[in-house]
């Protein structure tokens, strides 16, 4: 695990140490070298990072560190410093808010196309009354009632969400994250401020998917 020393944060370091200690009882933690981290970071920036920045032009992500975990299908966790700039309407003055956020990555054994999954909001349900673009799965009604799913091909979702995964998503409905699937690259993005419990739950979720 290599840290970006220019933004080293002791509180986050302590959270990581406690979370890694617990996760190491289930998974073997792998230390990356600099070249491996650079490859993973480039993949993130080219596929997912640009979408996050495009969604909110006032948000900046700075890489902090990455961890690898050996499991039946290995996964990786990346931590970023998120800086969001908010401008006051009257004065035009800017205030910057800092958080540390978690991104999980896993290379799946099978390709599933492009799929976007997040928790379904009330606005999503209202919009669906007038514009149908979500993929609902009749065989997994509880999953479909809790998650908003978009894909280029409906069959990609059918192939990806089997009963085991549908149940897993429902069991982990309290994780506030976005899941983005690009071929066989799965990204789980949590842009809330990092805490120990969330770190562990996300690690366990990405390991099981």
């Amino acid at each position: 695990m290599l840290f970006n020393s220019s933004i080293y944060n002791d509180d986050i370091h302590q959270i990581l140490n406690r979370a890694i200690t617990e996760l190491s009882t289930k998974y073997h933690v792998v230390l990356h070298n600099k070249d491996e981290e650079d490859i993973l970071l480039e993949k993130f920036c080219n596929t997912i990072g640009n979408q996050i920045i495009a969604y909110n032009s006032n948000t900046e992500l700075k890489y902090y560190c990455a961890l690898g975990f050996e499991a039946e299908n290995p996964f990786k966790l990346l931590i970023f410093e998120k800086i969001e700039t908010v401008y006051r309407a009257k004065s035009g003055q800017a205030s910057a808010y800092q958080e540390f956020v978690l991104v999980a990555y896993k290379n799946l054994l099978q390709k599933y196309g492009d799929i976007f999954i997040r928790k379904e909001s009330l606005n999503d349900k209202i919009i669906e009354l007038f514009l149908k673009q979500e993929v609902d799965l009749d065989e997994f009604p509880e999953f479909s009632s809790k998650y908003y799913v978009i894909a280029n091909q409906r069959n990609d979702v059918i192939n990806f969400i089997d009963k085991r995964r549908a149940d897993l998503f429902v069991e982990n409905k309290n994780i506030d994250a976005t899941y983005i699937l690009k071929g066989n690259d799965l990204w789980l993005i949590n842009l809330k401020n990092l805490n120990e419990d969330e770190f562990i739950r996300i690690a366990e979720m990405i390991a099981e998917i």
Side-chain angles (χ1 to χ4, degrees):
M1 178 171 56
L2 303 175
F3 289 91
N4 181 347
S5 58
S6 66
I7 56 172
Y8 178 85
N9 182 288
D10 189 59
D11 291 339
I12 294 299
H13 192 63
Q14 290 183 32
I15 288 175
L16 287 177
N17 282 338
R18 292 193 299 268
I20 291 168
T21 298
E22 181 165 341
L23 288 171
S24 64
T25 63
K26 298 181 179 180
Y27 316 106
H28 175 62
V29 181
V30 181
L31 300 180
H32 292 156
N33 60 41
K34 184 65 166 58
D35 290 340
E36 290 173 327
E37 289 198 339
D38 287 344
I39 292 171
L40 182 60
L41 187 59
E42 182 179 7
K43 181 187 284 284
F44 170 79
C45 292
N46 290 339
T47 58
I48 304 301
N50 291 335
Q51 294 183 23
I52 297 173
I53 299 301
Y55 181 75
N56 187 346
S57 60
N58 295 327
T59 297
E60 179 184 5
L61 292 179
K62 292 183 178 180
Y63 170 71
Y64 186 64
C65 71
L67 296 163
F69 295 84
E70 286 186 356
E72 184 176 347
N73 193 355
F75 62 95
K76 305 177 190 298
L77 302 177
L78 299 89
I79 297 168
F80 294 87
E81 179 191 41
K82 183 181 75 168
I83 301 174
E84 186 171 352
T85 304
V86 178
Y87 295 91
R88 297 179 182 175
K90 292 184 178 181
S91 65
Q93 292 182 332
S95 298
Y97 298 91
Q98 176 203 51
E99 294 180 330
F100 283 83
V101 299
L102 180 63
V103 175
Y105 168 78
K106 187 175 187 179
N107 185 258
L108 301 178
L109 299 178
Q110 180 179 339
K111 290 186 177 182
Y112 294 97
D114 289 359
I115 303 174
F116 175 92
I117 302 173
R118 62 167 166 76
K119 291 173 69 173
E120 189 166 42
S121 68
L122 178 59
N123 283 341
D124 293 329
K125 295 180 184 297
I126 294 173
I127 291 173
E128 282 294 307
L129 296 175
F130 305 97
L131 178 62
K132 182 64 178 176
Q133 57 182 0
E134 181 188 6
V135 177
D136 283 321
L137 300 177
D138 294 338
E139 58 269 46
F140 306 123
E142 190 172 5
F143 167 82
S144 290
S145 69
K146 290 179 168 53
Y147 287 93
Y148 183 76
V149 183
I150 296 178
N152 291 336
Q153 301 292 332
R154 177 182 173 83
N155 281 341
D156 290 338
V157 180
I158 293 173
N159 291 333
F160 178 63
I161 300 295
D162 54 15
K163 185 179 188 309
R164 183 186 67 82
R165 286 191 173 126
D167 291 343
L168 184 65
F169 272 96
V170 171
E171 290 169 8
N172 290 276
K173 60 182 181 297
N174 291 328
I175 294 179
D176 191 4
T178 298
Y179 304 80
I180 298 177
L181 192 53
K182 297 279 188 180
N184 59 346
D185 287 336
L186 174 64
W187 300 89
L188 189 163
I189 303 167
N190 181 293
L191 291 181
K192 296 176 64 177
N193 198 27
L194 184 64
N195 64 69
E196 184 179 343
D197 291 340
E198 196 84 346
F199 186 101
I200 293 170
R201 285 193 297 164
I202 288 173
E204 292 175 340
M205 178 65 172
I206 197 76
E208 293 296 323
I209 291 182

mmCIF file of all heavy atoms in Angstrom, residues 113-137:
data_model
loop_
_atom_site.group_PDB
_atom_site.id
_atom_site.type_symbol
_atom_site.label_atom_id
_atom_site.label_comp_id
_atom_site.label_asym_id
_atom_site.label_seq_id
_atom_site.Cartn_x
_atom_site.Cartn_y
_atom_site.Cartn_z
ATOM 1 N N GLY A 113 -21.387 -6.546 -20.617
ATOM 2 C CA GLY A 113 -21.793 -5.313 -21.267
ATOM 3 C C GLY A 113 -21.711 -4.135 -20.316
ATOM 4 O O GLY A 113 -20.994 -4.159 -19.313
ATOM 5 N N ASP A 114 -22.471 -3.080 -20.624
ATOM 6 C CA ASP A 114 -22.477 -1.866 -19.803
ATOM 7 C C ASP A 114 -23.751 -1.823 -18.964
ATOM 8 O O ASP A 114 -24.862 -1.766 -19.509
ATOM 9 C CB ASP A 114 -22.415 -0.620 -20.684
ATOM 10 C CG ASP A 114 -21.047 -0.450 -21.347
ATOM 11 O OD1 ASP A 114 -20.168 -1.291 -21.088
ATOM 12 O OD2 ASP A 114 -20.872 0.514 -22.109
ATOM 13 N N ILE A 115 -23.581 -1.815 -17.637
ATOM 14 C CA ILE A 115 -24.716 -1.810 -16.710
ATOM 15 C C ILE A 115 -24.458 -0.782 -15.619
ATOM 16 O O ILE A 115 -23.338 -0.685 -15.103
ATOM 17 C CB ILE A 115 -24.939 -3.198 -16.074
ATOM 18 C CG1 ILE A 115 -25.156 -4.266 -17.151
ATOM 19 C CG2 ILE A 115 -26.128 -3.175 -15.116
ATOM 20 C CD1 ILE A 115 -25.242 -5.685 -16.608
ATOM 21 N N PHE A 116 -25.486 -0.043 -15.276
ATOM 22 C CA PHE A 116 -25.425 0.976 -14.219
ATOM 23 C C PHE A 116 -26.480 0.639 -13.169
ATOM 24 O O PHE A 116 -27.654 0.469 -13.500
ATOM 25 C CB PHE A 116 -25.697 2.358 -14.831
ATOM 26 C CG PHE A 116 -25.793 3.480 -13.847
ATOM 27 C CD1 PHE A 116 -24.675 4.229 -13.512
ATOM 28 C CD2 PHE A 116 -27.002 3.814 -13.259
ATOM 29 C CE1 PHE A 116 -24.761 5.279 -12.605
ATOM 30 C CE2 PHE A 116 -27.108 4.850 -12.358
ATOM 31 C CZ PHE A 116 -25.983 5.588 -12.028
ATOM 32 N N ILE A 117 -26.059 0.526 -11.905
ATOM 33 C CA ILE A 117 -26.980 0.158 -10.823
ATOM 34 C C ILE A 117 -26.773 1.101 -9.633
ATOM 35 O O ILE A 117 -25.636 1.316 -9.210
ATOM 36 C CB ILE A 117 -26.751 -1.299 -10.356
ATOM 37 C CG1 ILE A 117 -26.919 -2.279 -11.514
ATOM 38 C CG2 ILE A 117 -27.716 -1.655 -9.220
ATOM 39 C CD1 ILE A 117 -26.546 -3.714 -11.162
ATOM 40 N N ARG A 118 -27.862 1.616 -9.106
ATOM 41 C CA ARG A 118 -27.812 2.376 -7.851
ATOM 42 C C ARG A 118 -29.143 2.237 -7.136
ATOM 43 O O ARG A 118 -30.127 1.722 -7.711
ATOM 44 C CB ARG A 118 -27.477 3.848 -8.095
ATOM 45 C CG ARG A 118 -28.482 4.604 -8.930
ATOM 46 C CD ARG A 118 -28.250 6.094 -8.855
ATOM 47 N NE ARG A 118 -28.967 6.839 -9.868
ATOM 48 C CZ ARG A 118 -30.262 7.111 -9.847
ATOM 49 N NH1 ARG A 118 -31.019 6.658 -8.842
ATOM 50 N NH2 ARG A 118 -30.842 7.797 -10.820
ATOM 51 N N LYS A 119 -29.199 2.681 -5.902
ATOM 52 C CA LYS A 119 -30.454 2.629 -5.156
ATOM 53 C C LYS A 119 -31.496 3.506 -5.835
ATOM 54 O O LYS A 119 -31.185 4.600 -6.300
ATOM 55 C CB LYS A 119 -30.218 3.087 -3.713
ATOM 56 C CG LYS A 119 -29.373 2.108 -2.904
ATOM 57 C CD LYS A 119 -29.016 2.662 -1.543
ATOM 58 C CE LYS A 119 -30.245 2.760 -0.650
ATOM 59 N NZ LYS A 119 -29.863 3.147 0.746
ATOM 60 N N GLU A 120 -32.716 2.997 -5.878
ATOM 61 C CA GLU A 120 -33.789 3.731 -6.549
ATOM 62 C C GLU A 120 -34.365 4.792 -5.615
ATOM 63 O O GLU A 120 -34.640 4.536 -4.440
ATOM 64 C CB GLU A 120 -34.893 2.773 -6.994
ATOM 65 C CG GLU A 120 -35.929 3.432 -7.882
ATOM 66 C CD GLU A 120 -36.810 2.410 -8.577
ATOM 67 O OE1 GLU A 120 -37.214 1.434 -7.920
ATOM 68 O OE2 GLU A 120 -37.084 2.580 -9.767
ATOM 69 N N SER A 121 -34.544 5.984 -6.144
ATOM 70 C CA SER A 121 -35.097 7.093 -5.372
ATOM 71 C C SER A 121 -36.559 7.310 -5.732
ATOM 72 O O SER A 121 -37.073 6.746 -6.702
ATOM 73 C CB SER A 121 -34.309 8.378 -5.654
ATOM 74 O OG SER A 121 -34.526 8.803 -6.997
ATOM 75 N N LEU A 122 -37.233 8.145 -4.958
ATOM 76 C CA LEU A 122 -38.623 8.488 -5.249
ATOM 77 C C LEU A 122 -38.728 9.187 -6.600
ATOM 78 O O LEU A 122 -39.666 8.942 -7.371
ATOM 79 C CB LEU A 122 -39.183 9.378 -4.139
ATOM 80 C CG LEU A 122 -40.632 9.860 -4.322
ATOM 81 C CD1 LEU A 122 -41.587 8.678 -4.432
ATOM 82 C CD2 LEU A 122 -41.034 10.776 -3.183
ATOM 83 N N ASN A 123 -37.763 10.039 -6.922
ATOM 84 C CA ASN A 123 -37.760 10.724 -8.217
ATOM 85 C C ASN A 123 -37.675 9.724 -9.366
ATOM 86 O O ASN A 123 -38.323 9.904 -10.406
ATOM 87 C CB ASN A 123 -36.591 11.706 -8.299
ATOM 88 C CG ASN A 123 -36.853 12.976 -7.524
ATOM 89 O OD1 ASN A 123 -37.997 13.303 -7.203
ATOM 90 N ND2 ASN A 123 -35.795 13.716 -7.205
ATOM 91 N N ASP A 124 -36.863 8.688 -9.173
ATOM 92 C CA ASP A 124 -36.766 7.648 -10.208
ATOM 93 C C ASP A 124 -38.122 7.008 -10.463
ATOM 94 O O ASP A 124 -38.517 6.778 -11.611
ATOM 95 C CB ASP A 124 -35.773 6.558 -9.775
ATOM 96 C CG ASP A 124 -34.344 7.068 -9.707
ATOM 97 O OD1 ASP A 124 -33.998 7.971 -10.475
ATOM 98 O OD2 ASP A 124 -33.577 6.545 -8.867
ATOM 99 N N LYS A 125 -38.839 6.704 -9.382
ATOM 100 C CA LYS A 125 -40.143 6.057 -9.520
ATOM 101 C C LYS A 125 -41.139 6.964 -10.242
ATOM 102 O O LYS A 125 -41.950 6.501 -11.060
ATOM 103 C CB LYS A 125 -40.682 5.674 -8.141
ATOM 104 C CG LYS A 125 -39.838 4.603 -7.430
ATOM 105 C CD LYS A 125 -40.419 4.252 -6.076
ATOM 106 C CE LYS A 125 -39.551 3.263 -5.323
ATOM 107 N NZ LYS A 125 -39.432 1.955 -5.995
ATOM 108 N N ILE A 126 -41.073 8.266 -9.957
ATOM 109 C CA ILE A 126 -41.975 9.219 -10.609
ATOM 110 C C ILE A 126 -41.649 9.335 -12.091
ATOM 111 O O ILE A 126 -42.544 9.315 -12.953
ATOM 112 C CB ILE A 126 -41.896 10.592 -9.919
ATOM 113 C CG1 ILE A 126 -42.443 10.496 -8.487
ATOM 114 C CG2 ILE A 126 -42.663 11.639 -10.717
ATOM 115 C CD1 ILE A 126 -42.261 11.752 -7.667
ATOM 116 N N ILE A 127 -40.363 9.465 -12.408
ATOM 117 C CA ILE A 127 -39.946 9.589 -13.801
ATOM 118 C C ILE A 127 -40.346 8.362 -14.608
ATOM 119 O O ILE A 127 -40.751 8.458 -15.772
ATOM 120 C CB ILE A 127 -38.417 9.812 -13.878
ATOM 121 C CG1 ILE A 127 -38.070 11.201 -13.327
ATOM 122 C CG2 ILE A 127 -37.908 9.675 -15.311
ATOM 123 C CD1 ILE A 127 -36.588 11.454 -13.195
ATOM 124 N N GLU A 128 -40.267 7.193 -13.966
ATOM 125 C CA GLU A 128 -40.602 5.954 -14.659
ATOM 126 C C GLU A 128 -42.076 5.897 -15.077
ATOM 127 O O GLU A 128 -42.450 5.141 -15.979
ATOM 128 C CB GLU A 128 -40.275 4.752 -13.773
ATOM 129 C CG GLU A 128 -38.801 4.388 -13.737
ATOM 130 C CD GLU A 128 -38.299 3.908 -15.082
ATOM 131 O OE1 GLU A 128 -38.907 2.988 -15.651
ATOM 132 O OE2 GLU A 128 -37.297 4.462 -15.567
ATOM 133 N N LEU A 129 -42.924 6.694 -14.436
ATOM 134 C CA LEU A 129 -44.331 6.742 -14.822
ATOM 135 C C LEU A 129 -44.511 7.361 -16.202
ATOM 136 O O LEU A 129 -45.482 7.085 -16.904
ATOM 137 C CB LEU A 129 -45.133 7.539 -13.786
ATOM 138 C CG LEU A 129 -45.199 6.944 -12.371
ATOM 139 C CD1 LEU A 129 -45.925 7.912 -11.441
ATOM 140 C CD2 LEU A 129 -45.901 5.595 -12.385
ATOM 141 N N PHE A 130 -43.548 8.221 -16.592
ATOM 142 C CA PHE A 130 -43.666 8.952 -17.858
ATOM 143 C C PHE A 130 -42.627 8.530 -18.881
ATOM 144 O O PHE A 130 -42.859 8.632 -20.086
ATOM 145 C CB PHE A 130 -43.521 10.461 -17.596
ATOM 146 C CG PHE A 130 -44.496 10.988 -16.576
ATOM 147 C CD1 PHE A 130 -44.119 11.140 -15.250
ATOM 148 C CD2 PHE A 130 -45.796 11.312 -16.944
ATOM 149 C CE1 PHE A 130 -45.013 11.616 -14.306
ATOM 150 C CE2 PHE A 130 -46.707 11.786 -16.003
ATOM 151 C CZ PHE A 130 -46.317 11.931 -14.673
ATOM 152 N N LEU A 131 -41.461 8.081 -18.393
ATOM 153 C CA LEU A 131 -40.385 7.699 -19.293
ATOM 154 C C LEU A 131 -39.776 6.390 -18.809
ATOM 155 O O LEU A 131 -39.085 6.352 -17.802
ATOM 156 C CB LEU A 131 -39.308 8.797 -19.330
ATOM 157 C CG LEU A 131 -38.074 8.517 -20.201
ATOM 158 C CD1 LEU A 131 -38.481 8.359 -21.662
ATOM 159 C CD2 LEU A 131 -37.041 9.626 -20.039
ATOM 160 N N LYS A 132 -40.045 5.341 -19.548
ATOM 161 C CA LYS A 132 -39.580 4.016 -19.146
ATOM 162 C C LYS A 132 -38.191 3.761 -19.724
ATOM 163 O O LYS A 132 -38.021 3.596 -20.935
ATOM 164 C CB LYS A 132 -40.553 2.935 -19.629
ATOM 165 C CG LYS A 132 -40.174 1.529 -19.218
ATOM 166 C CD LYS A 132 -40.195 1.340 -17.714
ATOM 167 C CE LYS A 132 -39.865 -0.083 -17.333
ATOM 168 N NZ LYS A 132 -39.793 -0.285 -15.877
ATOM 169 N N GLN A 133 -37.169 3.755 -18.871
ATOM 170 C CA GLN A 133 -35.819 3.445 -19.332
ATOM 171 C C GLN A 133 -35.112 2.446 -18.420
ATOM 172 O O GLN A 133 -34.076 1.893 -18.779
ATOM 173 C CB GLN A 133 -34.976 4.721 -19.429
ATOM 174 C CG GLN A 133 -34.865 5.503 -18.139
ATOM 175 C CD GLN A 133 -34.067 6.781 -18.315
ATOM 176 O OE1 GLN A 133 -33.593 7.084 -19.422
ATOM 177 N NE2 GLN A 133 -33.899 7.529 -17.247
ATOM 178 N N GLU A 134 -35.716 2.192 -17.276
ATOM 179 C CA GLU A 134 -35.116 1.267 -16.316
ATOM 180 C C GLU A 134 -35.373 -0.180 -16.730
ATOM 181 O O GLU A 134 -36.398 -0.500 -17.334
ATOM 182 C CB GLU A 134 -35.693 1.510 -14.924
ATOM 183 C CG GLU A 134 -35.115 0.616 -13.846
ATOM 184 C CD GLU A 134 -35.828 0.745 -12.517
ATOM 185 O OE1 GLU A 134 -36.855 1.454 -12.464
ATOM 186 O OE2 GLU A 134 -35.373 0.127 -11.545
ATOM 187 N N VAL A 135 -34.429 -1.045 -16.379
ATOM 188 C CA VAL A 135 -34.593 -2.485 -16.593
ATOM 189 C C VAL A 135 -35.108 -3.103 -15.300
ATOM 190 O O VAL A 135 -34.414 -3.105 -14.281
ATOM 191 C CB VAL A 135 -33.267 -3.159 -16.995
ATOM 192 C CG1 VAL A 135 -33.465 -4.668 -17.137
ATOM 193 C CG2 VAL A 135 -32.729 -2.554 -18.286
ATOM 194 N N ASP A 136 -36.339 -3.594 -15.312
ATOM 195 C CA ASP A 136 -36.915 -4.297 -14.167
ATOM 196 C C ASP A 136 -36.883 -5.801 -14.429
ATOM 197 O O ASP A 136 -37.086 -6.250 -15.558
ATOM 198 C CB ASP A 136 -38.364 -3.863 -13.927
ATOM 199 C CG ASP A 136 -38.454 -2.494 -13.256
ATOM 200 O OD1 ASP A 136 -37.623 -2.221 -12.368
ATOM 201 O OD2 ASP A 136 -39.344 -1.707 -13.631
ATOM 202 N N LEU A 137 -36.639 -6.549 -13.356
ATOM 203 C CA LEU A 137 -36.603 -8.003 -13.461
ATOM 204 C C LEU A 137 -37.781 -8.584 -12.689
ATOM 205 O O LEU A 137 -37.803 -8.539 -11.455
ATOM 206 C CB LEU A 137 -35.278 -8.543 -12.911
ATOM 207 C CG LEU A 137 -34.007 -8.046 -13.609
ATOM 208 C CD1 LEU A 137 -32.764 -8.602 -12.928
ATOM 209 C CD2 LEU A 137 -34.017 -8.407 -15.097
#
